[in-house]
Amino acid sequence: MAKDGTPLPPYFNIDPDAALSDLDLPTGSEGFAAIAQACGQGRSDLASRGMDEQGRKSLRLFSTWEITRYLIPVAQAHFRRVLKQNPDLPQGQSESEGGAKWFTLDEVLRLRAFFGAQGSKAKNYLPYRPAGLPAKIVAVANFKGGVGKTSTAAHLAMSAALDGYKVLVIDLDSQGSMTSIFGGQIEDEWQTAFPLLARHYAEYLRLENQRRLDRGDPPQPLDEALSTALDMTVGDVIQKTHWPNIDLIGAQLNLYWAEFQIPVWRMQARGWKLWDALTDRLEMDGVLDDYDLVFIDTPPALGYLTINGLAAADILLVPMGASFLEFDSTGRFFDMLHSTFVSIEEGENVAARALGRPEMAFEWDAVRAVITRYDGAQQGELAALMQAYLGETLSPHRQDFTALIGQAGEQVNGIYEADYRDFNRETYARGREAFDATYAAFKRLLLGVWRRAELAEQQAAE
């Protein structure tokens, strides 16, 4: 204690012998295996929360109050009247005689379709989706971890599903957090996006081998992995989730192997356009016709998997916190995006100009940075400055952090999976507003992008 009676900082007067007594033995390489095993067990135990006896997640039911407030824009009295007049529609189930009616999301989707066909034409019961246009692909990316990247992607996917869209989620992050949220069971890399990239390379190599044979050169052999990948489609790696209108291509640790394998393939075949691998497979296997939206959760690094996700995307969302370090990191992320994609364009266009072919250029329908985990009382000034510098690139909507998000996260769930009866109803409503507003801002962006494409098609047809 100091002479004035105030306690000294805790880093003073630490006894070396006492510190030694607290120290465990040195750690070797095998020590990492033990730590990983302990984390793996904990991860498995935590991820099992909310699962049934078969190890599957199930989606909660939705009450009449929740349906009419958040999902189908009708008054409760009218909703009940329509159900009574149409006994063939889902009638819900009550937990007690005369109690509130609860519905599965599947039933909610059927009810929304009925109201869309039979209800007032002045209301938007069904989400806007231009006929004949492919699904929009949305990549969520940033260098920095902890900015809410996976949480933002997962909640946007859930919001879109509740809105009536059919959604595919692709997890390209080998940490597999998105996969855990949606209850995916991934045994190895052959249940991830890896075989889709491998097939794209194998198909290129097969064509190149034909050209080599035509020139009288020996072909490059296709190893067992590439031969296996040639027999696989996107449908082979898509899993159903506990959401009736959300499917998943999951990830697990072995997916990281792709970051080492892809450059080997690229060295063996310089003409292979690795950045087109995911895009081409999604298009060729009809995925963009089967879904309305595809959300891609990328790793927190600009590696080959992230490049594939970004190159495939129509819309790029970049979550970031309202702090100097995250603003700085995000700026560097955009700088790396510029360097990477300009480098690809320049390399491809040298050959294109020499051969008289059209030059290539990457293009995204929309790019938006989104402030997450926002605290208006502490971060308002800095957020305003960031808005001034970034302009339209920074979404004016700022996603507040609420206690509901943290509590749902403890259960490895999204907030839309949380039963509002576990909270004060107003607490639930306030907490939900944060992600409802995030989805509203995203949906406005999506609808603008779709409408622009729709009008362009109409103009081209004239």
Side-chain angles (χ1 to χ4, degrees), residues 162-218:
L162 290 173
D163 201 17
Y165 289 116
K166 187 175 182 183
V167 177
L168 175 65
V169 173
I170 302 178
D171 192 353
L172 292 183
D173 188 345
S174 59
Q175 296 176 87
S177 299
M178 180 74 87
T179 302
S180 294
I181 290 172
F182 286 103
Q185 303 293 321
I186 310 297
E187 293 183 4
D188 56 34
E189 68 273 17
W190 289 97
Q191 294 180 329
T192 71
F194 171 75
L196 309 181
L197 309 182
R199 177 174 175 175
H200 192 269
Y201 171 69
E203 288 177 336
Y204 172 84
L205 191 58
R206 192 163 56 180
L207 291 173
E208 181 61 24
N209 279 341
Q210 186 58 57
R211 288 190 284 265
R212 292 173 68 91
L213 288 170
D214 293 342
R215 296 194 303 267
D217 297 331

Side-chain angles (χ1 to χ4, degrees), residues 275-293:
W275 48 87
D276 284 340
L278 185 59
T279 311
D280 288 349
R281 289 283 14 121
L282 293 176
E283 289 178 350
M284 295 177 71
D285 289 343
V287 170
L288 303 187
D289 297 323
D290 294 337
Y291 295 89
D292 300 310
L293 287 165

Side-chain angles (χ1 to χ4, degrees), residues 97-123:
E97 189 173 347
K101 292 290 186 70
W102 295 78
F103 299 78
T104 67
L105 182 55
D106 238 341
E107 292 172 330
V108 173
L109 295 174
R110 288 173 57 194
L111 291 168
R112 176 187 274 119
F114 176 84
F115 279 98
Q118 305 293 331
S120 169
K121 302 305 178 185
K123 292 186 177 180

Side-chain angles (χ1 to χ4, degrees), residues 143-434:
F143 272 157
K144 197 163 179 60
V147 296
K149 178 175 60 65
T150 299
S151 177
T152 297
H155 282 99
L156 285 176
M158 293 177 188
S159 298
L162 290 173
D163 201 17
Y165 289 116
K166 187 175 182 183
V167 177
L168 175 65
V169 173
I170 302 178
D171 192 353
L172 292 183
D173 188 345
S174 59
Q175 296 176 87
S177 299
M178 180 74 87
T179 302
S180 294
I181 290 172
F182 286 103
Q185 303 293 321
I186 310 297
E187 293 183 4
D188 56 34
E189 68 273 17
W190 289 97
Q191 294 180 329
T192 71
F194 171 75
L196 309 181
L197 309 182
R199 177 174 175 175
H200 192 269
Y201 171 69
E203 288 177 336
Y204 172 84
L205 191 58
R206 192 163 56 180
L207 291 173
E208 181 61 24
N209 279 341
Q210 186 58 57
R211 288 190 284 265
R212 292 173 68 91
L213 288 170
D214 293 342
R215 296 194 303 267
D217 297 331
Q220 295 189 52
L222 270 72
D223 60 28
E224 183 180 353
L226 295 177
S227 297
T228 300
L230 281 170
D231 294 327
M232 298 185 67
T233 67
V234 177
D236 293 322
V237 295
I238 289 178
Q239 296 187 10
K240 296 293 182 184
T241 73
H242 55 296
W243 285 72
N245 52 345
I246 299 180
D247 293 340
L248 169 72
I249 297 178
Q252 57 104 257
L253 192 60
N254 287 3
L255 177 59
Y256 192 68
W257 182 59
E259 296 289 358
F260 301 96
Q261 185 59 60
I262 290 175
V264 173
W265 292 337
R266 177 70 168 163
M267 289 294 292
Q268 293 172 345
R270 283 292 188 181
W272 175 50
K273 295 176 173 55
L274 64 92
W275 48 87
D276 284 340
L278 185 59
T279 311
D280 288 349
R281 289 283 14 121
L282 293 176
E283 289 178 350
M284 295 177 71
D285 289 343
V287 170
L288 303 187
D289 297 323
D290 294 337
Y291 295 89
D292 300 310
L293 287 165
V294 179
F295 286 95
I296 301 177
D297 187 32
T298 63
L302 192 54
Y304 293 104
L305 291 170
T306 300
I307 288 173
N308 261 279
L310 296 179
D314 301 297
I315 297 173
L316 171 59
L317 300 180
V318 181
M320 60 187 293
S323 73
F324 168 78
L325 292 179
E326 294 187 35
F327 185 43
D328 180 54
S329 175
T330 299
R332 296 175 193 276
F333 176 65
F334 279 111
D335 190 35
M336 282 292 292
L337 292 184
H338 171 259
S339 300
T340 299
F341 287 104
V342 165
S343 174
I344 294 172
E345 289 171 347
E346 290 176 347
E348 288 296 297
N349 290 335
V350 167
R353 286 191 291 269
L355 296 171
R357 295 175 180 170
E359 296 187 17
M360 72 163 292
F362 291 99
E363 186 175 76
W364 291 264
D365 289 326
V367 175
R368 290 290 183 274
V370 182
I371 292 179
T372 58
R373 300 177 294 108
Y374 179 65
D375 180 352
Q378 302 291 327
Q379 300 173 325
E381 183 179 358
L382 183 54
L385 285 172
M386 291 163 61
Q387 191 80 60
Y389 284 113
L390 288 174
E392 289 186 356
T393 301
L394 180 60
S395 171
H397 166 69
R398 297 159 190 178
Q399 182 180 292
D400 295 328
F401 181 84
T402 70
L404 180 63
I405 297 172
Q407 291 179 52
E410 291 174 5
Q411 301 298 320
V412 200
N413 285 327
I415 62 167
Y416 295 114
E417 297 175 315
D419 191 327
Y420 67 81
R421 291 172 297 179
D422 295 335
F423 308 88
N424 173 281
R425 185 175 288 193
E426 290 308 311
T427 299
Y428 175 83
R430 285 196 303 272
R432 177 172 172 148
E433 283 174 2

